[in-house]
Amino acid sequence: MQNYRELRCQYCGRLLAKGSGSVQIKCMRCKNINTFN
């Protein structure tokens, strides 16, 4: 079983995804690019 975590925007706090791994997501609200490892 994998541990999933909430990936939230570092600037506005909006929930972007739930999961694990490394990913880059652009926030729909504030348009900033967030990088998660």
Side-chain angles (χ1 to χ4, degrees):
M1 182 175 163
Q2 289 186 345
N3 285 336
Y4 292 115
R5 60 187 180 125
E6 292 183 341
L7 305 176
R8 293 190 174 267
C9 179
Q10 299 168 352
Y11 303 97
C12 69
R14 181 184 173 116
L15 180 64
L16 300 175
K18 289 184 180 180
S20 61
S22 59
V23 66
Q24 279 189 332
I25 303 174
K26 185 174 184 179
C27 181
M28 300 292 276
R29 182 186 293 168
C30 65
K31 309 294 189 234
N32 285 304
I33 296 175
N34 296 276
T35 304
F36 301 100
N37 292 327

